[in-house]
Amino acid sequence: MRLLRRRPLAVGLAGFVLLVLVGSALAAKPGGGGSGSASLSITDVSAAEGNAGMTAFTFTVTLAGSTKQQVSVAYATVGGSATSGADFASAGGTLLLSRSARTKVVTVQVTGDEAAEATEIFQVLLSARSGATLADAAGLGTIVDDDTQVAGPV
């Protein structure tokens, strides 16, 4: 009778361990399993601001790896030392990528001025993705000041 108890228990434990391993493998796959090994990344951009008007900072979002489904990802700008509305125009939305459209661009307009100031930064953040993981979720925008400090009379 003891052997009969041990055998079902051993099978039960083996089945439990197998279930845990299979469950962990599914949870580790991008998109909760079934979406292959697709991942998203965004580039960084560094450019001079210009003296007037707007300068386009173009960030590229790339879908890498394999996927059989459409991938979506939300994006939004976040100020750092650069201020939304004064140094750049805020942007946000959703991008749709697929096997046939592996790259999309996010354009952020940077405001040019003639004020001598330090280099400023902002970010374009990716979030709320579906169908892929986020390999690089933050695009750094570096606004390089192209104005010089004018010395006053001595």
Side-chain angles (χ1 to χ4, degrees):
M1 188 163 178
R2 265 185 146 173
L3 290 176
L4 292 176
R5 282 186 170 176
R6 286 185 183 175
R7 187 171 184 166
L9 180 61
V11 171
L13 286 176
F16 175 74
V17 170
L18 180 61
L19 178 62
V20 169
L21 291 175
V22 170
S24 296
L26 288 175
K29 286 187 175 182
S35 65
S37 59
S39 65
L40 295 163
S41 61
I42 186 168
T43 59
D44 297 332
V45 177
S46 179
E49 66 183 352
N51 290 328
M54 304 299 269
T55 300
F57 277 42
T58 304
F59 297 82
T60 302
V61 177
T62 302
L63 172 63
S66 63
T67 183
K68 294 180 181 178
Q69 60 189 5
Q70 187 169 339
V71 173
S72 67
V73 64
Y75 67 92
T77 52
V78 176
S81 55
T83 304
S84 177
D87 298 309
F88 68 94
S90 63
T94 302
L95 301 174
L96 300 175
L97 299 97
S98 65
R99 286 190 303 197
S100 61
R102 292 194 159 281
T103 61
K104 296 286 182 170
V105 296
V106 173
T107 302
V108 178
Q109 297 295 329
V110 172
T111 306
D113 61 35
E114 294 182 355
E117 54 196 348
T119 295
E120 298 171 309
I121 61 169
F122 66 92
Q123 290 183 309
V124 177
L125 300 180
L126 303 179
S127 64
R129 89 293 184 270
S130 173
T133 60
L134 293 174
D136 181 0
L140 181 65
T142 304
I143 305 171
V144 179
D145 185 54
D146 56 358
D147 303 305
T148 56
Q149 188 81 8
V150 178
V154 180

